[in-house]
Amino acid sequence: MKKVVRLLAVCAVMGALAGCARTAPVDNVHTTLSAGHTQTQVKNAILKAGAQRQWIMSEAGPNVIKARQQSRDHMAEVLINYSATGYAINYETSNNLLASGGKIHKNYNRWVRNLDKDIQVNLATSAM
């Protein structure tokens, strides 16, 4: 009986620790736009969303924006490729976000999802 209780306790602790994992697979966002937006509207929506979320945005080439998020000693950089029909947010590099083997700290994914959500909101309001 003691062995069963001990085994259940070990399983419970391991399950709790697994639920507290700090890393997750890297989210790369690929969004297709169905509404009739211009390339300039998409670019402006991305830049506005970045400013709203305190991303540092800079043009990295034609139809490419480099975005950097800094939070204390954590940093992430993404490349955002865009056109009139869609955009993609792709992981570039990071510091202190436990990035390895296609995984990264969960905060990175939250930052990217929030940026994506704000871009979509900005595009929706510019279409009105």
Side-chain angles (χ1 to χ4, degrees):
M1 184 68 173
K2 285 185 178 183
K3 287 183 181 181
V4 172
V5 171
R6 186 176 291 159
L7 179 64
L8 289 174
V10 168
C11 288
V13 169
M14 290 181 68
L17 291 176
C20 297
R22 295 179 2 192
T23 62
V26 173
D27 276 351
N28 286 315
V29 175
H30 302 281
T31 302
T32 303
L33 303 174
S34 58
H37 297 287
T38 66
Q39 192 166 308
T40 302
Q41 286 175 319
V42 175
K43 175 183 175 183
N44 290 339
I46 292 168
L47 294 173
K48 184 178 177 184
Q52 290 168 327
R53 293 282 175 180
Q54 288 85 44
W55 286 78
I56 300 165
M57 310 290 254
S58 62
E59 291 193 46
N63 305 332
V64 180
I65 296 172
K66 183 176 236 177
R68 176 185 176 116
Q69 176 66 274
Q70 186 88 35
S71 177
R72 295 182 305 274
D73 62 339
H74 306 290
M75 181 278 299
E77 286 184 351
V78 297
L79 286 179
I80 306 171
N81 299 297
Y82 64 91
S83 69
T85 58
Y87 61 91
I89 305 171
N90 295 301
Y91 173 80
E92 182 74 8
T93 188
S94 64
N95 284 332
N96 295 326
L97 288 175
L98 308 173
S100 96
K103 293 193 173 200
I104 195 162
H105 196 283
K106 291 189 289 188
N107 283 347
Y108 166 82
N109 289 333
R110 182 174 44 87
W111 294 342
V112 169
R113 282 191 304 271
N114 285 337
L115 180 62
D116 178 42
K117 181 185 71 164
D118 287 354
I119 292 170
Q120 291 180 36
V121 167
N122 290 336
L123 285 169
T125 57
S126 74
M128 291 181 182

